[in-house]
Amino acid sequence: MTVKDILDHLSELAPLDTAESYDNVGLLVGGADADITGVCCCVDITRDVVREAVEKGANLIISHHPVIFEGLKRIPVWSPVAELIKNDIAAIAMHTNFDIAPNGVNAELVELLWFNCEYSFENGYGAICEMTRPFTTKSLAEHCKARLGLECVKYSQKNAEHKPIRRVAVCCGGGVDRDIMRLARENNIDCIISGDIKHNFWIEAENCGIALIDAGHFGTEKAAARTLSKLVKNRFPDAVVFSSECERDPCGYI
């Protein structure tokens, strides 16, 4: 089993050409012909994750976020890329192509929230879910906090304890932009669950009567590591595959 074998399998599940044009996915560090000794899956490749991979004998790390996003002009000693090269570890990124894949990050987020997905927006981002139990904005925020194991979430305060939520859009990561807001209005969405929501969209949402719940970028995508690990293990049952145990939200809350 080689790096290429695993990349080919993941590419079948989440084709690389479905990634956004600005993205950087696929094999980013190392050679495709290297034989696999172990696979570490994570959301972000940090120096701690690389060290964990070394300690556990993995020579491939599969991340959700690309360890190289833009062109590099230099590689400082503190860079995870330097650690990968020094330890001869390959790195694969499955990012926006994996967000929208049928068994990808957004689908896993919907499942974690115990929602029933009706369909997605036509741009591929945002699962539309009909609630099977009554929620208000505040009770839905509490539900997200509990199901995702988070310290806190942000939610729209206006009518938070009274606004009925029946139709929800779930967009993992930093999913809220102009297109999502427009599609939410067109599809009669009561609430959008996402992360990294900018201030202007909180104001726009309040003005047009849509509630927002921000469960954080990491909070809505931390299941990516487990999902990637499961998909690789299902195809290569004899491989040593694990999710990073050292990975955590880089933000603290008080």
Side-chain angles (χ1 to χ4, degrees):
M1 178 181 55
T2 66
V3 171
K4 184 179 184 301
D5 292 328
I6 291 179
L7 179 59
D8 287 346
H9 173 59
L10 292 176
S11 299
E12 289 177 3
L13 301 173
L16 302 183
D17 61 5
T18 63
E20 293 289 334
S21 59
Y22 61 79
D23 207 357
N24 192 28
V25 296
L27 180 59
L28 306 186
V29 178
D33 296 329
D35 290 324
I36 296 296
T37 61
V39 182
C40 175
C41 299
C42 61
V43 178
D44 296 282
I45 298 179
T46 63
R47 295 177 70 191
D48 286 341
V49 170
V50 178
R51 293 190 190 106
E52 181 183 8
V54 172
E55 291 170 1
K56 295 181 178 178
N59 66 342
L60 171 63
I61 300 177
I62 305 172
S63 67
H64 182 43
H65 296 143
V67 70
I68 301 173
F69 197 71
E70 298 174 334
L72 295 177
K73 293 186 177 180
R74 60 186 64 84
I75 302 176
V77 294
W78 51 262
S79 169
V81 177
E83 290 287 318
L84 290 166
I85 294 171
K86 182 174 71 175
N87 290 286
D88 197 20
I89 296 176
I92 290 173
M94 303 295 287
H95 191 206
T96 51
N97 57 316
F98 194 51
D99 281 331
I100 64 175
N103 293 312
V105 184
N106 210 66
E108 183 72 11
L109 177 59
V110 170
E111 186 173 328
L112 283 172
L113 293 172
W114 291 342
F115 292 166
N116 294 318
C117 179
E118 182 181 334
Y119 56 89
S120 298
F121 290 142
E122 73 258 24
N123 66 351
Y125 294 93
I128 298 177
C129 307
E130 298 287 349
M131 298 296 94
T132 57
R133 53 174 278 197
F135 281 109
T136 63
T137 304
K138 186 175 181 180
S139 66
L140 183 56
E142 291 169 342
H143 173 80
C144 292
K145 178 182 176 181
R147 289 297 305 150
L148 300 179
L150 304 176
E151 292 185 44
C152 67
V153 299
K154 295 165 66 176
Y155 63 92
S156 298
Q157 290 196 76
K158 188 173 183 180
N159 298 322
E161 298 186 34
H162 305 287
K163 178 180 172 61
I165 304 297
R166 301 183 181 89
R167 194 169 169 84
V168 174
V170 179
C171 311
C172 64
V176 176
D177 58 15
R178 290 289 177 202
D179 285 340
I180 291 295
M181 292 300 298
R182 173 181 56 80
L183 290 167
R185 292 192 300 272
E186 293 173 354
N187 286 272
N188 299 313
I189 297 298
D190 298 312
C191 180
I192 303 172
I193 300 170
S194 190
D196 287 351
I197 302 175
K198 294 183 177 180
H199 177 77
N200 60 297
F201 293 125
W202 289 93
I203 301 302
E204 181 177 331
E206 182 170 308
N207 286 332
C208 66
I210 297 174
L212 298 179
I213 294 175
D214 188 330
H217 200 123
F218 184 80
T220 59
E221 294 192 335
K222 63 181 181 178
R226 185 182 65 215
T227 306
L228 286 166
S229 179
K230 179 174 60 178
L231 294 174
V232 174
K233 193 67 176 177
N234 286 346
R235 174 62 180 83
F236 303 98
D238 296 330
V240 177
V241 184
F242 58 92
S243 299
S244 172
E245 295 180 348
C246 73
E247 188 166 51
R248 65 190 187 284
D249 191 337
C251 303
Y253 303 90
I254 58 173

